[in-house]
Amino acid sequence: MSNRLLIALAGQPNCGKSTVFNALTGARQHVANYPGVTVDKMSGYYKHGDTRVDVVDLPGTYSLTFYSPEERVSRDFILNDRPDVVVNVMDASNIKRCLYLTFQVMEMENPMVLDLNMMDVANNRGVTINIEALTQILGVPVVATSMKQGRGKQALLDAIAETGRKKSAEALFNVDYGPMEAGISNICEMIRQDPGDLGAYPARWLAIKLMEGDEEIRKLIREKGARSRRILNHVQDLRNQFEVDHDQDTALAVAQARYSAADKVTAGCVTLPAERKKPMSDRIDAVVCHKYMGPMVLLAVIWLLYYLSIVQGYNLTNYTWPLLAKLRGSVAAIVPDPGFIDVPLISAFALWLIDSVNALLNYIPIFFILFGLIAIMEDSGYMPRMAFIMDRLFSRYGLHGQSTLPMVLGGIYVGGCAVPGVMSCKGIPDERSRLTTILIIPMLNCLAKVPLYVLLINIYFAAHKGLAMFFISTISFLMVLPVSKFLTTTVLKDKPTSPFVMEMPPYHLPTIRGVVGRAIERVWMFIKKITSIVVALAVVIFILLQFPGISPQRKTDFQAQRDQAITKFRSSIAQTPYAETLAGDKLMEMVLYWKSYKDKKMLTRGAEANAALNDELKKINPQFFVIARPGKDKVARKVNRSFKKLFKTRKGLLREMRKERINESFLGKMGRALEPATQFAGFNWRVNVALLSAFAAKESAVATLGALYEQDDAGGDGSLESRMAKSEDGFTPLHALALMMFMVLYPPCLATSIAVKLQSGSVKWMLFGMFYPMVLGISVATFIFTGGTLLGLSGLQAMGVFYAIALCTTIATGFIKTKPEFEDARQAIA
């Protein structure tokens, strides 16, 4: 007896295969990738007596065709690795559907055990299964399990060990392909007589796949067969003759024969309840998946998602911003104190980092609500319904129903992330739709773009927040559909397509623990991204903005202005009793005291809080407090006025120095160098700098703006909205609209570009995915800003006009017909 067995778990999605895998292997498992593809390879092992059993959990798939990477991976593993046992895990409540895959596995002539899992579900639905009859019909061991309840595990272990010991397939059942059987037998004979290397493969299985038109098997015949041309020509003649005689596609005939065989098998061993009450899921689907009601429900879900997360979530930031401001104050208290116009580099760097991160952390309430709502849709079972509803629309634009989940993850709802969106494209079965989806995901409203949208909307569309948010939430969808149609009819037109298959799982009531846990997990991932990519980028941006710095001559000029202002102040208070209080280094202490007072005052609300703040500051330095709050003391009031002038002069000098430092910095020069090209899109050098920083991570656009528009104590609430609105006097809603649209179409960030390369398997597609959005984005932004300016449109008017153009373009491209491939297969398998 061998001391080692290799088994493979094969099954359709939602059959409990992962539960079986976990029950067998426990913690002894790991995840990798199959060579050459991004499909996960789950593997583990368990001990049965003195035998080590290695278990490979194959990707869930409805069929073993050549359409998707999952199908090819599963088929190639069974065919080439020749596991000792294939455990076909089935949903016991729906045997008829699962047999479609079972027949294909059996035709590959591997030793096999049939695991009727989810028997508890079958019993609850009143489904009775005659295990002995099913075993006799199929000729393979059949085991009933309910792995969630831990029932049937030992019987399955024993059946695997017994089948593995025999080392031979004993399946007695063959699907009858009717009029095609004579041709299949003929092809089998040619394969067996071929002197090449085809003998290593099951002849009948090869013959059936050839009659289906499986391109991968045709390629295999060409590589392994000595008389491949003769075999393939004969197969083509048989297929052509069959289609002429029976007016039916051979692939469809094969699929129908398998469904007919499934009917016969289930009729002999499965008894359904005499009166079956319509399941609650079906009754809900009658509305949710209705041809007309379904899209209305979908729109209502999207609207509710936006209202709760964006509108109500933003209201919560009124409570988070003061906390973040206190965090900044705490950091400022730790770092070395600044001089009158000299700021230590370590202090500037620390405050730069905290401003960069705070600009993003302020939006955590929005993200938490958003992720929680998406988790509810995932756990409730609404996501597959969304795919079903969207497939009819997506197919018009060369996409696939299974493009829905990647697009949701990428930001079809505001707040996704392009990286998981692109990575989840591996589940799309055909190459054309998969590549198209990969290339359009970065154009959706990912999480990283949301801060810029919210920032600009709250400054320039404050009176129309709901309308502006609806525009930005849906315009990306209207943009990607025509782009998808263009890609699938041009650069991707030669890529193969495949049918849409999606199972509708029963509805489930989400748990509070699951929803909150998922929301926390995703928010935590966002925070980790900030503390890694954004912080790393902030360091680079800081260096590029600080150096080469202000010239020595200009430093001397600023120092002269400083000395003049201080001398003038001391002269104005020389005859007062406060001259000694502010002598020497005490003047700078008063500057820092005053700044601390103003920072704390900004965060203080109510009479009691103000009184408490005054008491606190009075205890810190009573003499400084009298100058800061002179009351009716005329001398103190005079000193207060002179000090405020000095403080204002200091702010002006710091502002001028900061402006000159940025203007002469490496990044400032880059931003200004781009202005001749970006001015037609309404971008100034600050916007250019922010957009340049977004190449590494889109979050950095707002983080960089948050640092560029630094705190200058000139009033306002200290938020980035207040600072930007005050600093950009010439910026209008039209500028903001053009900037938002450029961000919608912005090229993928560094992490997403890497994901595109991994999923497409090509540097060429990665570079193409970076180039075309840049051209499209700058073109659209220029069209909006320059066109809107020439027509005299306001930002809101330009928004309406552009939305109408995008909507009309999307509708028009949807009516451009392309030849539907695999339409018959779509009908047969769906």
Side-chain angles (χ1 to χ4, degrees):
M1 182 179 69
S2 172
N3 289 323
R4 193 156 190 163
L5 289 177
L6 173 64
I7 72 170
L9 301 184
Q12 295 183 349
N14 302 310
C15 67
K17 184 165 58 66
S18 296
T19 306
V20 174
F21 176 74
N22 292 332
L24 294 179
T25 62
R28 299 179 295 272
Q29 53 184 254
H30 64 276
V31 183
N33 283 111
Y34 288 93
V37 294
T38 57
V39 177
D40 288 340
K41 180 179 183 180
M42 297 288 296
S43 57
Y45 73 93
Y46 66 89
K47 290 290 189 68
H48 188 266
D50 62 348
T51 302
R52 173 184 165 122
V53 183
D54 293 299
V55 186
V56 175
D57 184 14
L58 299 178
T61 176
Y62 293 97
S63 180
L64 293 178
T65 58
F66 66 97
Y67 298 137
S68 71
E70 285 78 8
E71 291 174 334
R72 292 194 292 271
V73 160
S74 297
R75 186 171 73 180
D76 290 347
F77 185 86
I78 296 173
L79 197 65
N80 299 323
D81 290 71
R82 305 304 294 180
D84 298 298
V85 182
V86 175
V87 179
N88 180 206
V89 183
M90 299 177 67
D91 176 2
S93 66
N94 202 338
I95 291 179
K96 180 179 175 181
R97 182 202 68 203
C98 294
L99 283 170
Y100 190 88
L101 176 65
T102 302
F103 294 149
Q104 295 177 74
V105 176
M106 293 173 70
E107 287 168 350
M108 300 178 78
E109 300 180 4
N110 261 82
M112 180 173 163
V113 171
L114 201 60
D115 177 11
L116 292 185
N117 194 32
M118 300 171 64
M119 283 296 294
D120 54 322
V121 177
N123 294 333
N124 291 337
R125 295 182 181 179
V127 178
T128 304
I129 305 170
N130 188 328
I131 304 295
E132 293 75 14
L134 183 57
T135 302
Q136 188 174 9
I137 292 171
L138 297 180
V140 298
V142 180
V143 180
T145 65
S146 295
M147 282 299 178
K148 266 193 173 181
Q149 283 73 35
R151 295 200 296 267
K153 177 180 176 180
Q154 189 58 49
L156 179 60
L157 293 174
D158 293 340
I160 292 171
E162 180 64 25
T163 305
R165 193 177 297 116
K166 292 179 180 178
K167 294 286 184 181
S168 63
E170 299 180 358
L172 302 176
F173 185 85
N174 278 325
V175 175
D176 183 2
Y177 291 102
M180 210 177 289
E181 280 294 342
I184 291 174
S185 297
N186 190 266
I187 299 170
C188 285
E189 190 62 28
M190 293 182 69
I191 290 173
R192 293 190 182 103
Q193 293 179 1
D194 188 271
D197 297 325
L198 296 177
Y201 303 95
R204 179 174 171 83
W205 177 77
L206 289 176
I208 294 169
K209 301 309 291 181
L210 287 171
M211 289 300 290
E212 279 187 288
D214 192 309
E215 190 56 43
E216 291 291 318
I217 300 305
R218 292 174 60 86
K219 181 181 177 182
L220 176 68
I221 297 295
R222 284 192 289 267
E223 292 176 352
K224 304 289 186 178
R227 301 168 183 167
S228 59
R229 180 176 298 180
R230 179 187 170 196
I231 294 174
L232 294 177
N233 288 341
H234 184 62
V235 169
Q236 191 59 48
D237 291 340
L238 289 173
R239 294 184 69 208
N240 292 339
Q241 189 62 47
F242 179 88
E243 292 177 0
V244 169
D245 293 343
H246 300 278
D247 192 24
Q248 187 180 35
D249 179 76
T250 54
L252 180 59
V254 169
Q256 288 181 341
R258 289 175 182 149
Y259 282 120
S260 178
D263 283 334
K264 294 177 182 178
V265 171
T266 53
C269 62
V270 178
T271 304
L272 300 176
E275 293 184 8
R276 287 195 297 171
K277 185 179 179 181
K278 193 173 184 180
M280 179 61 72
S281 291
D282 291 351
R283 283 180 275 171
I284 296 175
D285 281 341
V287 176
V288 171
C289 297
H290 189 270
K291 183 176 181 180
Y292 301 110
M293 291 295 296
M296 294 175 63
V297 172
L298 180 60
L299 287 175
V301 169
I302 293 175
W303 179 86
L304 184 63
L305 187 91
Y306 292 152
Y307 175 76
L308 293 176
S309 61
I310 305 300
V311 178
Q312 296 302 323
Y314 188 79
N315 290 337
L316 293 178
T317 63
N318 294 328
Y319 301 95
T320 58
W321 179 253
L323 298 176
L324 297 175
K326 287 182 179 179
L327 176 63
R328 186 184 193 277
S330 300
V331 173
I334 296 173
V335 298
D337 292 332
F340 195 84
I341 60 171
D342 300 315
V343 181
L345 191 62
I346 185 64
S347 300
F349 176 65
L351 295 178
W352 167 273
L353 281 183
I354 203 69
D355 284 340
S356 299
V357 174
N358 274 359
L360 298 171
L361 291 180
N362 193 44
Y363 299 102
I364 281 181
I366 294 176
F367 298 149
F368 182 81
I369 295 174
L370 186 66
F371 289 148
L373 294 174
I374 290 177
I376 290 174
M377 290 191 297
E378 291 173 341
D379 293 350
S380 65
Y382 185 69
M383 284 294 191
R385 275 77 182 177
M386 189 188 312
F388 174 78
I389 295 169
M390 299 303 293
D391 182 61
R392 185 179 296 272
L393 172 66
F394 282 174
S395 62
R396 288 181 172 271
Y397 298 92
L399 295 172
H400 196 277
Q402 290 181 347
S403 299
T404 305
L405 179 58
M407 292 176 73
V408 169
L409 294 175
I412 197 171
Y413 296 143
V414 171
C417 179
V419 175
V422 170
M423 296 304 289
S424 66
C425 289
K426 64 183 179 182
I428 301 174
D430 66 273
E431 195 72 4
R432 185 192 300 174
S433 295
R434 190 172 67 85
L435 278 174
T436 304
T437 309
I438 288 171
L439 292 173
I440 64 170
I441 288 294
M443 295 168 58
L444 295 171
N445 285 328
C446 73
L447 172 71
K449 299 178 182 179
V450 176
L452 182 65
Y453 297 155
V454 176
L455 170 69
L456 296 175
I457 287 172
N458 278 286
I459 299 175
Y460 300 102
F461 296 97
H464 306 280
K465 285 183 184 179
L467 187 62
M469 203 63 217
F470 177 80
F471 167 84
I472 206 65
S473 301
T474 56
I475 193 64
S476 63
F477 187 61
L478 296 181
M479 296 296 292
V480 299
L481 291 183
V483 170
S484 300
K485 189 60 170 278
F486 175 78
L487 292 174
T488 54
T489 54
T490 54
V491 294
L492 299 175
K493 65 180 180 180
D494 295 327
K495 299 294 181 181
T497 61
S498 68
F500 169 76
V501 180
M502 176 64 71
E503 182 186 0
M504 300 293 185
Y507 286 100
H508 296 285
L509 189 65
T511 63
I512 295 177
R513 180 179 179 181
V515 170
V516 174
R518 198 90 53 82
I520 292 174
E521 178 185 355
R522 291 177 178 177
V523 168
W524 178 240
M525 287 177 62
F526 172 68
I527 293 174
K528 286 195 295 184
K529 189 173 183 182
I530 290 175
T531 57
S532 55
I533 296 176
V534 174
V535 170
L537 184 67
V539 173
V540 175
I541 298 297
F542 179 80
I543 293 172
L544 292 176
L545 284 172
Q546 289 293 319
F547 297 97
I550 302 174
S551 66
Q553 181 180 352
R554 290 295 295 153
K555 280 185 180 179
T556 302
D557 292 341
F558 284 121
Q559 289 168 354
Q561 294 179 57
R562 174 200 62 188
D563 296 342
Q564 183 180 358
I566 293 176
T567 300
K568 183 177 179 180
F569 170 74
R570 293 196 183 282
S571 297
S572 68
I573 67 168
Q575 304 304 319
T576 69
Y578 296 98
E580 183 64 26
T581 302
L582 299 177
D585 293 339
K586 293 181 181 179
L587 175 61
M588 194 60 216
E589 292 180 22
M590 178 62 198
V591 170
L592 297 177
Y593 179 90
W594 176 255
K595 188 176 185 307
S596 174
Y597 169 71
K598 292 196 68 177
D599 289 342
K600 293 178 180 179
K601 181 74 173 175
M602 183 181 67
L603 302 174
T604 304
R605 300 289 185 271
E608 292 185 7
N610 277 304
L613 174 62
N614 290 338
D615 290 341
E616 177 189 343
L617 292 172
K618 191 181 297 184
K619 290 179 181 178
I620 294 174
N621 193 315
Q623 294 176 312
F624 287 172
F625 182 76
V626 173
I627 298 173
R629 297 295 303 272
K632 295 181 179 180
D633 186 330
K634 292 183 179 180
V635 177
R637 291 172 66 179
K638 176 184 176 182
V639 175
N640 176 272
R641 287 193 297 269
S642 296
F643 178 78
K644 285 182 178 179
K645 290 180 182 179
L646 176 67
F647 194 85
K648 184 177 180 180
T649 300
R650 176 180 183 264
K651 287 190 300 181
L653 289 174
L654 289 173
R655 186 165 52 247
E656 286 297 317
M657 292 176 68
R658 182 170 63 247
K659 181 179 178 181
E660 190 162 323
R661 184 183 299 109
I662 293 175
N663 285 349
E664 298 301 319
S665 70
F666 299 127
L667 199 59
K669 290 178 180 178
M670 291 172 62
R672 291 191 180 281
L674 290 173
E675 275 190 320
T678 62
Q679 62 179 324
F680 300 105
F683 303 163
N684 60 23
W685 71 272
R686 284 191 182 91
V687 171
N688 289 342
V689 169
L691 293 177
L692 285 172
S693 70
F695 271 113
K698 293 186 181 72
E699 298 96 326
S700 299
V702 169
T704 303
L705 289 174
L708 288 174
Y709 299 109
E710 293 183 71
Q711 305 265 18
D712 61 6
D713 302 315
D717 60 8
S719 66
L720 177 53
E721 284 90 342
S722 173
R723 284 140 53 195
M724 183 174 179
K726 182 175 56 186
S727 300
E728 293 289 2
D729 295 333
F731 219 73
T732 67
L734 195 60
H735 288 81
L737 178 62
L739 177 54
M740 285 193 295
M741 280 309 305
F742 182 81
M743 182 55 73
V744 167
L745 303 171
Y746 197 88
C749 64
L750 181 61
T752 305
S753 296
I754 294 172
V756 169
K757 194 269 177 186
L758 292 173
Q759 284 301 307
S760 65
S762 171
V763 175
K764 177 188 72 173
W765 289 120
M766 181 188 74
L767 296 177
F768 178 77
M770 296 172 66
F771 173 74
Y772 91 88
M774 174 66 75
V775 175
L776 184 61
I778 198 67
S779 300
V780 168
T782 300
F783 173 76
I784 290 174
F785 180 74
T786 302
T789 302
L790 293 175
L791 295 175
L793 300 178
S794 67
L796 200 62
Q797 290 171 334
M799 183 182 291
V801 171
F802 184 77
Y803 196 86
I805 293 173
L807 182 62
C808 291
T809 302
T810 302
I811 294 173
T813 53
F815 281 106
I816 300 176
K817 292 187 177 181
T818 55
K819 185 183 180 202
E821 299 184 48
F822 299 108
E823 187 62 34
D824 291 334
R826 178 186 296 267
Q827 295 171 0
I829 298 174

